[in-house]
Amino acid sequence: VIAEINTIAGEARALRLPGSQEIADYLSTHGAPGDVVLVMSNGAFDGVHDKILRGLSMNSSGQDQLL
């Protein structure tokens, strides 16, 4: 799926990350307004959804901000 997305997009836009904290860290660092994030899991996956939301709610100075 990742290779197909990247072929269609013409650049490496889709990727696989090994764990929930790595996913949250990547998104909080590289995410931009308008990005679409698809999280596929068959369960809670170590709280990935909450980790992502917490990471995205932090601004670059480490202070909480509203999403």
Side-chain angles (χ1 to χ4, degrees):
V1 172
I2 293 168
E4 186 67 21
I5 291 169
N6 289 335
T7 298
I8 292 168
E11 56 185 287
R13 305 232 0 167
L15 65 145
R16 179 198 168 276
L17 297 165
S20 63
Q21 192 59 56
E22 291 86 357
I23 292 167
D25 292 346
Y26 181 88
L27 291 173
S28 65
T29 302
H30 296 92
D35 283 354
V36 175
V37 177
L38 170 64
V39 178
M40 297 173 62
S41 174
N42 64 349
F45 187 47
D46 193 31
V48 69
H49 300 95
D50 290 333
K51 289 177 183 179
I52 291 170
L53 292 174
R54 273 195 309 275
L56 292 175
S57 72
M58 301 296 282
N59 66 22
S60 61
S61 65
Q63 300 298 313
D64 282 328
Q65 64 183 19
L66 294 176
L67 292 176

